[in-house]
Amino acid sequence: MFRKTTAAMLMALAVAPMAQAKSASMCVFDVIGANGDVYNLMKDYALDMKGHGIDIQLKPYTDEGVALGDFQSGQCDILAATDLRTRRFNRFTGTISAVGAIPTYDNLKTVLATLAQPKAAKFMKQGDYEVLGIAPAGAGYLFVDDRSIDTAGELAGKRMATLDYQKDAIHMVNFVKATVVPSDITNFAGKFNNGSVDTAYAPAFAYKALELYKGVGDKGGIVDYPLAQLTVQMIAKDDLLTDEEAQTSREVAWHMYPQAMALVKKSEEGIPDDQWIHISDEDVQGYQEMFRENRLEMRDGKNGAPDVYDPKMLHLLSKVRCASNPGASECTAANRE
């Protein structure tokens, strides 16, 4: 009798964790699909989360709009997509990609480390949604078909492939008096490569993955200045996971930062040196002030700008920049972010 009771207890203990495990599905946007770096990164994330009792099944998407639609219609529990798409669910974390707001990867590391801490958890929820993790996708650079386009002034009149749902990018293009050519993630590369536009904006991985080297050709290049830091963000309904589980998820994502950055740097190092267009320190300072003025407009919704940026995130990013470069003029400006 004792042996039977003991055996039954052991069986119950073995089965209990299985019964308690949560299962969820994740729509993962990766322009390459199931063979892409983002999808593989999410596979590793899912494997780690399984060790915490949450079983996540991945579904790859090469069209970000379709992934977003399926998430919103309830066909998956979690969405992994660029912050350009997920900003609608959390304006605070969506402001990470504010134009010119994170000039270095060291700054980005500081920001993401801060957001992974428990004290930042309250900012991860907005409405019915919660951010379950953030991973770097690389700085966005300006790809041009003519190397003489290396300052903001020379963008005037140029045709720029601009994501039609990215309001801040549209505002910036209009600000420099370039021409917005409405595009989406599925066709902007083709427009640049076939000469329909003069410039396009993308992280370094697109050079090979989307064959942007064709659009660059012999006369073009890539301006070596981070216009913004793109991230992949994981979004879910805020009742999917408990607060403790959601915090664990964010910490799991943060611990993958070195892995994600290794992929980013590999893509950047894979671009031939002669394809980069290096700009002067003076021009860099000009860009930084121009972007800062535009961020303030898009924080406050002034001068016809869309109010898309979260003030608290802009303030955090300003503190990070000034901690690393306290001598910058913005750090003593009367209208500091």
Side-chain angles (χ1 to χ4, degrees):
M1 181 67 178
F2 176 76
R3 289 182 178 177
K4 289 183 179 179
T5 302
T6 302
M9 290 176 63
L10 290 173
M11 180 64 72
L13 289 171
V15 173
M18 295 175 61
Q20 293 172 2
K22 288 185 177 180
S23 61
S25 59
M26 178 191 283
C27 292
V28 180
F29 166 66
D30 188 314
V31 70
I32 304 300
N35 294 318
D37 288 341
V38 172
Y39 190 81
N40 285 322
L41 196 68
M42 291 301 105
K43 283 171 65 176
D44 289 343
Y45 161 80
L47 183 62
D48 283 351
M49 289 302 292
K50 194 168 186 177
H52 294 283
I54 301 170
D55 186 11
I56 301 175
Q57 302 299 317
L58 307 184
K59 299 166 63 177
Y61 290 77
T62 56
D63 188 317
E64 195 171 27
V66 175
L68 172 65
D70 280 3
F71 171 66
Q72 291 182 303
S73 66
Q75 295 187 47
C76 49
D77 303 303
I78 307 169
L79 172 67
T82 66
D83 51 51
L84 305 181
R85 284 288 195 181
T86 64
R87 182 181 289 161
R88 68 185 66 196
F89 303 113
N90 192 300
R91 189 182 184 191
F92 180 76
T93 60
T95 303
I96 291 173
S97 61
V99 291
I102 305 179
T104 70
Y105 286 132
D106 283 343
N107 289 163
L108 176 64
K109 184 177 181 179
T110 300
V111 171
L112 297 189
T114 301
L115 298 184
Q117 295 178 13
K119 64 181 181 181
K122 62 183 178 181
F123 298 110
M124 298 300 108
K125 291 187 180 185
Q126 180 179 309
D128 296 329
Y129 296 93
E130 182 168 17
V131 178
L132 298 183
I134 305 172
Y141 298 103
L142 189 67
F143 288 70
V144 299
D145 62 2
D146 182 345
R147 295 182 71 86
S148 68
I149 307 173
D150 60 357
T151 65
E154 285 155 355
L155 289 170
K158 302 299 182 183
R159 301 162 299 171
M160 297 187 67
T162 312
L163 300 180
D164 50 17
Y165 50 83
Q166 193 182 358
K167 295 180 180 179
D168 51 344
I170 292 172
H171 179 71
M172 278 300 308
V173 173
N174 289 330
F175 181 84
V176 298
K177 296 181 173 53
T179 301
V180 171
V181 179
S183 309
D184 62 40
I185 202 73
T186 64
N187 63 27
F188 84 93
K191 290 180 179 180
F192 180 65
N193 291 341
N194 67 24
S196 298
V197 297
D198 305 299
T199 69
Y201 161 87
F205 87 88
Y207 180 78
K208 290 183 179 178
L210 300 181
E211 301 181 333
L212 292 188
Y213 56 83
K214 293 181 177 179
V216 169
D218 297 329
K219 298 180 179 179
I222 304 135
V223 180
D224 188 13
Y225 179 82
L227 298 179
Q229 294 289 349
L230 302 179
T231 60
V232 172
Q233 300 192 7
M234 290 167 272
I235 309 292
K237 285 290 187 73
D238 68 358
D239 58 358
L240 179 68
L241 302 181
T242 66
D243 288 349
E244 183 179 21
E245 290 168 340
Q247 180 57 32
T248 295
S249 173
R250 288 188 287 270
E251 290 173 4
V252 166
W254 162 242
H255 290 145
M256 297 176 68
Y257 179 88
Q259 179 182 353
M261 280 306 305
L263 296 171
V264 169
K265 291 179 179 179
K266 181 180 179 182
S267 293
E268 295 186 352
E269 291 167 357
I271 296 176
D273 289 342
D274 61 1
Q275 295 282 267
W276 292 102
I277 301 171
H278 300 289
I279 57 178
S280 68
D281 291 342
E282 183 179 356
D283 285 336
V284 167
Q285 291 176 11
Y287 273 121
Q288 289 174 338
E289 182 56 25
M290 178 184 72
F291 287 140
R292 192 180 76 86
E293 291 173 359
N294 274 266
R295 290 195 301 271
L296 291 172
E297 289 184 353
M298 288 187 275
R299 179 194 68 184
D300 303 331
K302 292 182 177 179
N303 299 326
D307 56 341
V308 294
Y309 292 156
D310 182 89
K312 289 186 177 65
M313 176 57 78
L314 287 183
H315 182 61
L316 170 63
L317 300 182
S318 174
K319 288 175 65 177
V320 170
R321 290 194 304 274
C322 288
S324 64
N325 184 20
S329 59
E330 68 160 304
C331 302
T332 54
N335 61 344
R336 182 177 170 185
E337 293 164 83

